[in-house]
Amino acid sequence: MAEPKRVVVVGAGFGGLRCARDLARAPVRVTLVDRQNHHLFQPLLYQVATAGLSPGDIAYPVRSFIREQRNLDVVLAEVSAFDLAGRRVLLSDGRALRYDQLLVATGAGHSYFGRPDWARFAPGLKTIEDALEIRRRIFMGFEEAEQEPDPARREALLTFVIVGGGPTGVELAGALAEIAHHTLASEFHRIDPRRTRILLLEGTPRVLPAYTPDLSDSARGQLASLGVDVRTSAMVTGVDEEGVRVG
């Protein structure tokens, strides 16, 4: 019998994992490559960032998804390059995976609009590591404000700016408002967390621009009721250790 075709899928996110599972009964040999050993449910990363969930609640072992799929191998490795002429996926540890068909489903990263230097001051929210860093900054902001004698500095520590009014930005702003105005409201003695200032900046005329206007209006109204200062048509032009510049 002829050797089955080799299919290499790079990325165990929604697209890659679904493709690999859909090939369960196909006459092919599938290799699924990812640098993490878990599948991440990205829509709930904001809950990890605001301490609503633990990382384990939204990360599930890849092998548990496909334990009964006999035509699939999982490789824990980082892809360094593609040899398209030789039909090989090159791994950072020096190995190479040969393929007949290749699917690259590595997902998307956040954009800094050509300003990678902003990343130091404004972490994105695409990985568990991102979420944990944001969580650390949020709660350290409250802790430092509790010990800060200077009113202006204390106000700055209790000011949070979220850039981007898509689903993640809207959810993060709402969850942060819940933390400040309810969860932590009586946890500190020197500061009042309810005075926390949360700004959501969106460059287009409305939040949730990919959705219908009525949903955008509803989201904006709900954010306002939580105390979030929503600013649309607000294009960020600078991010540094002093703050965020708009316009």
Side-chain angles (χ1 to χ4, degrees):
M1 296 178 62
E3 287 290 325
K5 294 287 188 180
R6 296 164 298 187
V7 178
V8 174
V9 180
V10 181
F14 292 115
L17 194 59
R18 176 60 185 269
C19 175
R21 296 181 70 181
D22 283 352
L23 292 173
R25 297 187 178 183
V28 297
R29 191 72 202 173
V30 182
T31 301
L32 179 62
V33 186
D34 200 291
R35 60 187 175 187
Q36 305 285 352
N37 66 351
H38 59 264
H39 169 75
L40 178 64
F41 191 78
Q42 282 192 340
L44 288 179
L45 272 173
Y46 80 96
Q47 290 274 22
V48 176
T50 52
L53 294 173
S54 68
D57 292 329
I58 64 169
Y60 197 72
V62 172
R63 292 184 183 276
S64 296
F65 280 109
I66 49 82
R67 62 165 61 100
E68 298 180 359
Q69 187 169 336
R70 298 305 179 187
N71 71 335
L72 188 148
D73 297 311
V74 176
V75 175
L76 181 64
E78 185 168 8
V79 173
S80 59
F82 297 101
D83 174 11
L84 300 182
R87 290 181 174 271
R88 298 187 307 158
V89 176
L90 307 181
L91 306 180
S92 59
D93 60 10
R95 290 180 294 166
L97 302 174
R98 296 191 176 277
Y99 65 84
D100 296 297
Q101 297 290 334
L102 172 66
L103 173 72
V104 180
T106 50
H110 41 273
S111 173
Y112 287 101
F113 310 102
R115 293 297 304 272
D117 52 303
W118 293 358
R120 174 185 169 192
F121 310 103
L125 189 54
K126 292 292 186 184
T127 67
I128 286 177
E129 291 75 17
D130 292 337
L132 292 176
E133 173 61 15
I134 291 174
R135 179 193 290 194
R136 184 190 69 79
R137 295 190 186 198
I138 289 173
F139 288 100
M140 283 304 297
F142 288 106
E143 293 294 343
E144 291 178 15
E146 174 80 348
Q147 305 299 322
E148 178 57 56
D150 178 34
R153 176 61 181 160
R154 189 186 310 125
E155 181 180 356
L157 288 166
L158 294 177
T159 299
F160 297 90
V161 180
I162 299 169
V163 180
T168 298
V170 167
E171 290 167 334
L172 184 59
L176 184 53
E178 290 281 355
I179 288 175
H181 301 150
H182 300 285
T183 307
L184 299 181
S186 58
E187 297 294 313
F188 295 88
H189 297 156
R190 298 179 181 177
I191 61 171
D192 182 359
R194 291 171 295 186
R195 301 187 63 181
T196 298
R197 188 181 181 196
I198 303 166
L199 293 92
L200 178 63
L201 307 179
E202 167 57 40
T204 68
R206 57 190 177 92
V207 297
L208 301 180
Y211 293 80
T212 57
D214 60 316
L215 289 177
S216 295
D217 292 342
S218 175
R220 182 164 189 162
Q222 292 180 57
L223 289 171
S225 68
L226 290 171
V228 179
D229 183 356
V230 180
R231 301 189 184 184
T232 53
S233 298
M235 191 67 68
V236 172
T237 57
V239 179
D240 56 28
E241 66 275 5
E242 297 297 325
V244 178
R245 291 186 296 279
V246 180

